[in-house]
Amino acid sequence: MPADAASGTRLDAFREASMEFDSVYGQLAKSCGLSGTEYWALSLIHQGVETQREISQQLSLSRQTLNSAFKLLIRKGLIRLEPSKRDQRSKRAILTQEGHRFVEENILRVGRLEEEAWKTLTEEEQTMLVRLTRQFSAALLRSLRAHPTTHLSSSEDL
């Protein structure tokens, strides 16, 4: 098999593994009764990330997508929005009492599952997985920036 064909096959295998990985995290979110966006937003709010802007940046989501998730989290009684003390134009997302209970019972449970799975890897494998994932992500982002598409609204999306 030519080198390019072997490289393409390995890239296809990586893409498949990446989709499997995304699917597992989607299943983890669903096990909590949440969409992926709701799950990650709630997790970040629990970690102390407060504004929709900060969360949308961290998750690489549009504000509209995150706003829809916030509306669902508010409707479920898990978060409330309050004016920010630093900037009156933005609002802070705060866990409600029910939100704290939900995080304890669901988000932290999923975190324990992640930790259990993580411990099946050796320290060397853990370090290598993080390093290679970041290395590939950075290389792909550099390629995207070098060859921008017209579908992106601005370079800030990268």
Side-chain angles (χ1 to χ4, degrees):
M1 179 181 305
D4 284 346
S7 176
T9 301
R10 288 191 303 272
L11 179 58
D12 288 342
F14 175 78
R15 288 177 184 145
E16 186 176 311
S18 181
M19 285 185 264
E20 288 171 17
F21 191 69
D22 287 346
S23 175
V24 168
Y25 270 97
Q27 290 175 44
L28 289 172
K30 284 181 184 174
S31 78
C32 299
L34 302 172
S35 70
T37 303
E38 290 172 290
Y39 173 86
W40 288 114
L42 202 56
S43 180
L44 288 173
I45 293 165
H46 176 257
Q47 293 171 32
V49 182
E50 294 183 336
T51 68
Q52 188 173 345
R53 179 175 176 222
E54 293 168 319
I55 294 170
S56 68
Q57 286 176 336
Q58 198 157 345
L59 296 177
S60 298
L61 294 171
S62 71
R63 289 194 194 175
Q64 294 85 352
T65 298
L66 189 59
N67 189 46
S68 296
F70 269 35
K71 286 179 181 179
L72 290 170
L73 291 171
I74 291 167
R75 200 172 308 141
K76 291 175 182 180
L78 301 177
I79 66 170
R80 70 177 186 280
L81 299 179
E82 297 181 349
S84 172
K85 293 174 184 160
R86 292 179 286 169
D87 179 0
Q88 293 300 313
R89 294 172 294 156
S90 60
K91 295 186 180 199
R92 299 175 351 154
I94 308 291
L95 290 174
T96 63
Q97 186 173 359
E98 176 65 19
H100 281 288
R101 187 191 64 71
F102 185 90
V103 166
E104 291 289 327
E105 293 176 4
N106 294 281
I107 305 294
L108 298 183
R109 174 187 58 85
V110 168
R112 289 188 296 275
L113 295 175
E114 282 180 301
E115 187 68 32
E116 187 179 305
W118 186 249
K119 287 179 180 177
T120 67
L121 303 175
T122 66
E123 280 187 40
E124 183 181 346
E125 289 169 332
Q126 292 169 357
T127 301
M128 188 182 309
L129 181 58
V130 171
R131 181 181 60 79
L132 291 174
T133 301
R134 286 186 171 149
Q135 182 179 337
F136 183 73
S137 293
L140 187 55
L141 188 55
R142 281 192 304 273
S143 292
L144 186 58
R145 286 180 174 153
H147 307 284
T149 67
T150 58
H151 300 288
L152 297 175
S153 60
S154 74
S155 60
E156 289 180 7
D157 291 341
L158 301 176

